[in-house]
Amino acid sequence: MGRKLLLTHIDVPGIQSYSVYKAQGGYRSVDKALKSMSPDDVVEEVKKSGLRGRGGAGFPTGMKWSFLAKPEGVPRYLVCNADESEPGTFKDRYLMTHIPHALIEGMIVSSYALGAHTSFIYVRGEMMPQIRILEKAIAEAKAAGYLGKNILGSGYDLELYVQPGGGAYICGEETALLESLEGKRGNPRIKPPFPAIAGLYGCPTVVNNVESIAATVPIINDGGEEYAKIGIERSTGTKLISAGGNLAKPGVYEIELGLPVEEFIYSDEYCGGIANGKKLKAVVAGGSSVPILPANLITKTIKGDARLMTYESLADGGFQSGTMMGSGGFIAFDEDQCIVRNTWNFTRFYRHESCGQCSPCREGTGWMEKVLYNIEHGRGTTNDIDLLWDIQRKIEGNTICPLGDAAAWPVAAAIRHFRDEFEWHINHGQEAQNRNYGLAHYADPLEVVTES
Amino acid sequence: MAEEVQKFKVSIDGISVDVDAGTTILNAARKIGGDIVPPAMCYYSKLEGSGGKCRTCLVKVTKGSEKDPRPMPKLVASCRTTVMDGMEVQNITSPDVVEARKSVVEMLLINHPLDCPVCDQAGECKLQDLGYEHGSENTRYDFPRRTFERIDIGDKIQLHMNRCILCYRCVYVANQLTNTREHGILYRGDHAEISTYIENALDNDYIGNVIDVCPVGALTDKTFRFKNRVWFTKPVNAHRDCPSCSGRVTLWYKGSDVLRVTARKDEYDEVEEFICNTCRFDKKETADWTLEDPTKVSQESVIASNHYTQFQPPAVIPENTPLKEANWEQLARTEKLK
Ligand SMILES: Cc1cc2nc3c(=O)[nH]c(=O)nc-3n(C[C@H](O)[C@H](O)[C@H](O)COP(=O)(O)O)c2cc1C
Ligand code: SF4
Ligand code: SF4
Ligand code: FES
């Protein structure tokens, strides 16, 4: 059994409540940090742990914290990114729903480390149940003296707020999130300046993912070095993976980084193999924006090494034959799934969610979606694949924020690895049009959702 | 003692220039002038926070600085990237930049019809220029374009959303120049559009400036629309004693009639001083104004086809020593115009 640090008590009845959470050893890290550690000590432990941001980019959390500017007389903020809108990723929601106090505890420890006295949890607006759960948890923590003025008599004050988000994927991008938190349209800001220098209301700010913040709790409890012993290389600790698609046992799993992908998919402890005894065709390993991997590259790298669930191993081979850990949204496709259809579906999402500030992303995502719609519906032409390839190249790297890249990569990887499927759609237009997805009871589900 | 401003040396397409620390690459290039100035569809020096969006000004930084000579991994928006000492930048000399710019133009033209013959901005439209410079004759986009009805947003301004390229300039004008902002951007992605708050009109003493900053024909002056083509009019600089703005404008004459009043624009097509609505919309008699001299129009502009000043070679040639010394090819091209 893999060790668990975040979901240890997930099965304890009533763990959502403060009293049960506390009885299981909750809030120890706050006691320890506030009573026996300086804020810099906390930062140091997080650095030692090697924790990398769990929001997608994998940037070392301790290092990010040490970049925070500390001008005199200016407030600093910690903002928790609980927007979680990446298709395929649902691990933060799971954590917040079932163990909300793990996040609150992490927020207190992290805010203390950063010298923040006001912190925010920015939750995607649609997640009303989670917002209520967090609000209740905050009230409980406050009543127990873990929030508010002079926490545990340490002289440290912290107010923690939950802010419902704008309900747009782009509001998960950290600078768009800050704009949204300030009450503005959720458009990404142009960097620099980075939030560590000028973030919320122009003040130094750290934005961290839910899971990153929750991970600071075991790091403080057991020490950064202990944490770093789990995992391998530059991928330390445990990671929540939200597994979906055609897996026998989809769900949220806490894995030790370094677990072989094969074991994750096929062992009974995790996903239990592919549903209905089908064969695995492809995997999107880290949420919809990362490149898709074909069957031959899922469990082995191009060099023939076992592919592991680590930042390095998943990325091995670059975008030619590798992918990314991303936000840990693991989607498996069985042999019956259509890659073209999936690519169109993902692109439809990015088109809808582009904020529209930069021309290549605004127009390019829309263009790709329409071309893909045609191919998927048996109306593609022979030039369309090259055209798609060209459009995604024009978006990638030329935009303000990484949403442009996130829209381009899935298309590039699908064409790179599954060009024959695109060609099939183009050469067998009539058959492509007549495929039945088991959705026959809707008149024409595709027409309803498409806007082109 | 005044604090000394640090100077940085930056080279753009091989031409060096010294600029103050904090200058953007675009403005450094503007200091040199000529073809090496990247085009800018959304940046507007007079509007704080503008730029970074359209991506027409992308350039390649081949050397970050003297201290850290590594190149930048991606093309950067020159309008929002500040120079470092020793930075080396490529604009027209980089095939990647030319290629990226071509892509941006292609993207911009997806939802901007090339209906120049019937557009009121014809002759003053930077996108039209860019289209000629970087576009290809054929577009590979063969889907229906999005279309909108024209709407009157207030009694003086008409919005033709078909042509909007979402540069945000008009939104910044409303934000930074007027007391109220009645319009903004609705929706996201390629659904995004400029619109007013429900049933609101744009009426505000300075709102007419949105027309001047709009780089394309999306916001037009209803008092001028389709009265004439801009190249048949004669621009004249004039001023009046205005209690609310500088009163320094350009009058656009047809015969003895003032057809249009705009703010004066500089060589990059940017307004020098914003003007009030009274000067713009209500003062259309010569008697309202003290005339100065004919407005200088670039020889490359279609408006120059009607110029009646003495021919002046483009100012860039005699004065621009760095260009003269460094870029013979460009100099020769400009000399040919003489
Ligand atoms: C379009 C877009 C959407 C994003 N959405 C999220 C999100 O929902 N949650 C998240 O934690 N990070 C998201 N990110 C990444 C954040 O910008 C940021 O890197 C992250 O919150 C930093 O936290 P970490 O260092 O703890 O990973 C998104 C990035 C982009 C470009
Ligand atoms: S890349 Fe897309 S989402 Fe990001 S700022 Fe540009 S238009 Fe907006
Ligand atoms: S209306 Fe004109 S100025 Fe306003 S965003 Fe559109 S193109 Fe820019
Ligand atoms: S002018 Fe620089 S991005 Fe628009």
Side-chain angles (χ1 to χ4, degrees):
Chain A
M1 285 283 278
R3 273 168 290 184
K4 295 201 183 349
L5 299 175
L6 300 174
L7 304 183
T8 326
H9 304 296
I10 190 87
D11 295 327
V12 177
I15 193 72
Q16 256 195 350
S17 73
Y18 170 78
S19 52
V20 177
Y21 182 76
K22 173 83 178 163
Q24 294 294 328
Y27 287 97
R28 267 190 302 136
S29 70
V30 180
D31 295 87
K32 181 171 174 185
L34 266 56
K35 287 182 183 152
S36 66
M37 296 170 82
S38 72
D40 286 347
D41 293 340
V42 179
V43 176
E44 214 35 57
E45 286 307 315
V46 174
K47 271 191 180 163
K48 273 191 223 157
S49 75
L51 173 69
R52 292 172 67 168
R54 305 300 196 216
F59 193 81
T61 306
M63 199 191 297
K64 183 161 165 176
W65 287 9
S66 61
F67 291 154
L68 188 72
K70 294 184 174 158
E72 280 297 309
V74 177
R76 278 164 245 153
Y77 296 105
L78 170 66
V79 180
C80 171
N81 189 343
D83 193 64
E84 195 169 69
S85 318
E86 182 97 344
T89 308
F90 45 90
K91 47 138 192 140
D92 294 342
R93 185 176 343 186
Y94 184 81
L95 187 77
M96 291 187 291
T97 312
H98 297 290
I99 322 186
H101 283 282
L103 176 58
I104 311 291
E105 182 177 352
M107 283 301 284
I108 302 169
V109 171
S110 307
S111 301
Y112 174 70
L114 297 168
H117 296 288
T118 309
S119 296
F120 298 89
I121 307 176
Y122 182 96
V123 189
R124 187 176 166 95
E126 282 86 340
M127 295 196 217
M128 248 5 249
Q130 286 71 19
I131 291 170
R132 293 210 184 92
I133 290 170
L134 288 172
E135 278 173 345
K136 178 162 169 273
I138 288 174
E140 287 174 339
K142 197 163 184 172
Y146 280 103
L147 282 170
K149 290 246 171 282
N150 195 17
I151 299 170
L152 306 177
S154 65
Y156 174 64
D157 308 332
L158 175 66
E159 289 301 335
L160 182 56
Y161 298 96
V162 177
Q163 172 65 42
Y169 170 60
I170 192 59
C171 290
E173 194 280 332
E174 57 182 1
T175 58
L177 185 154
L178 296 175
E179 286 283 290
S180 171
L181 198 51
E182 288 178 12
K184 299 185 220 142
R185 190 183 150 89
N187 280 358
R189 295 177 184 170
I190 292 151
K191 295 194 266 193
F194 289 88
I197 308 296
L200 189 63
Y201 305 117
C203 301
T205 303
V206 166
V207 180
N208 270 139
N209 173 259
V210 171
E211 189 189 341
S212 318
I213 289 173
T216 59
V217 173
I219 291 171
I220 297 310
N221 280 340
D222 306 334
E225 272 166 26
E226 276 307 305
Y227 187 88
K229 284 183 191 158
I230 305 176
I232 51 171
E233 294 169 9
R234 285 164 51 233
S235 298
T236 59
T238 64
K239 170 98 190 77
L240 297 181
I241 305 287
S242 54
N246 306 116
L247 292 163
K249 293 198 296 164
V252 176
Y253 294 100
E254 181 169 8
I255 60 157
E256 285 183 38
L257 285 170
L259 178 79
V261 174
E262 188 159 11
E263 194 179 330
F264 180 65
I265 300 176
Y266 293 102
S267 82
D268 280 339
E269 188 182 346
Y270 301 106
C271 306
I274 308 305
N276 306 319
K278 295 249 158 87
K279 276 214 301 256
L280 181 62
K281 175 179 187 176
V283 153
V284 165
S288 63
S289 60
V290 309
I292 192 167
L293 284 184
N296 63 327
L297 292 171
I298 295 170
T299 55
K300 296 245 180 308
T301 66
I302 195 95
K303 288 178 241 149
D305 301 335
R307 181 90 73 183
L308 308 179
M309 300 287 267
T310 65
Y311 291 89
E312 298 78 28
S313 179
L314 285 172
D316 194 53
F319 282 180
Q320 291 305 316
S321 60
T323 180
M324 286 162 78
M325 173 70 94
S327 52
F330 193 93
I331 314 169
F333 298 86
D334 72 22
E335 55 196 311
D336 294 343
Q337 302 310 312
C338 171
I339 301 299
V340 176
R341 182 180 173 79
N342 178 66
T343 312
W344 168 59
N345 207 21
F346 279 178
T347 305
R348 203 157 55 103
F349 171 80
Y350 289 109
R351 182 232 182 138
H352 188 263
E353 298 297 323
S354 158
C355 85
Q357 276 190 105
C358 18
S359 349
C361 171
R362 180 183 63 239
E363 306 296 346
T365 50
W367 193 1
M368 289 199 303
E369 195 259 335
K370 291 175 188 172
V371 176
L372 278 159
Y373 176 89
N374 271 356
I375 301 179
E376 160 60 16
H377 291 82
R379 294 195 230 124
T381 63
T382 40
N383 291 334
D384 279 351
I385 304 176
D386 292 339
L387 178 62
L388 263 182
W389 182 263
D390 200 50
I391 304 173
Q392 65 80 21
R393 262 188 50 224
K394 291 181 164 172
I395 303 173
E396 196 211 332
N398 287 341
T399 55
I400 297 177
C401 89
L403 187 138
D405 303 334
W409 292 334
V411 174
I415 298 177
R416 188 178 289 125
H417 299 303
F418 296 96
R419 199 182 173 102
D420 53 341
E421 275 194 39
F422 287 84
E423 282 167 357
W424 184 89
H425 273 71
I426 288 164
N427 297 331
H428 300 81
Q430 203 62 40
E431 285 162 69
Q433 278 177 28
N434 292 337
R435 282 171 315 151
N436 180 354
Y437 291 101
L439 295 168
H441 53 289
Y442 293 111
D444 186 347
L446 306 179
E447 294 303 333
V448 179
V449 286
T450 194
E451 282 139 345
S452 42
Chain B
M1 212 175 79
E3 224 172 273
E4 216 170 280
V5 184
Q6 214 183 345
K7 287 277 181 192
F8 283 168
K9 190 179 276 308
V10 50
S11 125
I12 302 166
D13 285 343
I15 306 174
S16 286
V17 62
D18 290 321
V19 293
D20 293 347
T23 307
T24 57
I25 297 173
L26 183 80
N27 281 329
R30 284 183 174 185
K31 222 176 149 197
I32 301 170
D35 286 357
I36 67 148
V37 183
M41 296 298 297
C42 71
Y43 170 75
Y44 208 78
S45 61
K46 279 87 190 172
L47 297 171
E48 208 181 305
S50 66
K53 299 182 175 61
C54 69
R55 318 306 281 179
T56 53
C57 70
L58 291 174
V59 294
K60 187 172 194 164
V61 176
T62 50
K63 178 180 167 191
S65 68
E66 216 52 75
K67 272 202 207 117
D68 182 0
R70 285 176 303 173
M72 292 191 181
K74 295 199 272 187
L75 302 185
V76 298
S78 59
C79 65
R80 291 295 292 261
T81 310
T82 46
V83 299
M84 300 300 288
D85 195 29
M87 184 184 261
E88 287 174 14
V89 179
Q90 290 184 343
N91 181 39
I92 48 175
T93 49
S94 158
D96 291 347
V97 170
V98 175
E99 175 69 23
R101 200 161 290 153
K102 210 171 148 188
S103 311
V104 172
V105 172
E106 185 177 25
M107 296 293 188
L108 283 173
L109 290 178
I110 283 184
N111 278 313
H112 179 98
L114 278 178
D115 59 355
C116 308
V118 298
C119 173
D120 217 42
Q121 189 89 357
E124 294 176 299
C125 175
K126 286 285 152 194
L127 187 56
Q128 193 180 17
D129 298 347
L130 269 183
Y132 277 106
E133 285 162 30
H134 296 279
S136 53
E137 290 129 54
N138 300 319
T139 172
R140 297 173 299 165
Y141 185 88
D142 57 1
F143 296 92
R145 322 270 160 158
R146 59 185 204 159
T147 50
F148 298 83
E149 293 297 318
R150 275 173 301 201
I151 37 173
D152 291 330
I153 43 175
D155 59 349
K156 299 291 198 318
I157 304 169
Q158 191 161 87
L159 168 66
H160 212 160
M161 222 2 258
N162 282 358
R163 302 195 179 107
C164 171
I165 57 161
L166 292 161
C167 70
Y168 284 62
R169 282 181 183 178
C170 59
V171 181
Y172 285 114
V173 161
N175 252 352
Q176 293 170 25
L177 228 65
T178 71
N179 297 327
T180 52
R181 175 153 78 79
E182 310 287 6
H183 84 293
I185 290 177
L186 288 187
Y187 313 125
R188 287 191 301 259
D190 63 352
H191 307 283
E193 57 181 274
I194 289 282
S195 188
T196 56
Y197 297 139
I198 300 167
E199 298 202 345
N200 269 357
L202 299 191
D203 60 349
N204 193 306
D205 285 351
Y206 281 81
I207 199 67
N209 291 295
V210 298
I211 300 165
D212 282 349
V213 303
C214 184
V216 292
L219 290 169
T220 46
D221 177 347
K222 282 170 65 188
T223 66
F224 176 68
R225 269 177 78 79
F226 300 120
K227 289 231 169 99
N228 220 297
R229 305 305 326 212
V230 66
W231 52 89
F232 295 137
T233 61
K234 295 176 185 184
V236 172
N237 289 345
H239 65 267
R240 63 183 275 271
D241 191 12
C242 176
S244 49
C245 73
S246 71
R248 295 177 71 246
V249 301
T250 301
L251 305 178
W252 299 77
Y253 275 96
K254 177 76 188 290
S256 56
D257 296 337
V258 177
L259 294 189
R260 173 170 77 147
V261 183
T262 66
R264 292 189 200 174
K265 292 194 172 182
D266 64 16
E267 62 177 310
Y268 297 108
D269 222 28
E270 291 184 5
V271 161
E272 287 171 7
E273 283 163 291
F274 293 109
I275 58 167
C276 69
N277 285 1
T278 310
C279 286
R280 182 186 304 272
F281 297 122
D282 302 335
K283 301 289 172 189
K284 298 257 174 116
E285 303 293 331
T286 300
D288 295 327
W289 298 96
T290 308
L291 303 190
E292 294 173 19
D293 46 15
T295 304
K296 293 203 173 47
V297 175
S298 152
Q299 290 306 311
E300 285 165 25
S301 166
V302 65
I303 304 171
S305 62
N306 201 37
H307 74 83
Y308 51 85
T309 50
Q310 275 250 300
F311 176 76
Q312 300 275 348
V316 74
I317 296 168
E319 288 160 20
N320 204 331
T321 347
L323 182 63
K324 204 165 175 174
E325 284 167 6
N327 194 336
W328 287 103
E329 192 193 331
Q330 214 193 112
L331 184 68
R333 206 168 341 145
T334 332
E335 291 279 347
K336 259 198 272 172
L337 280 173
K338 282 190 181 174

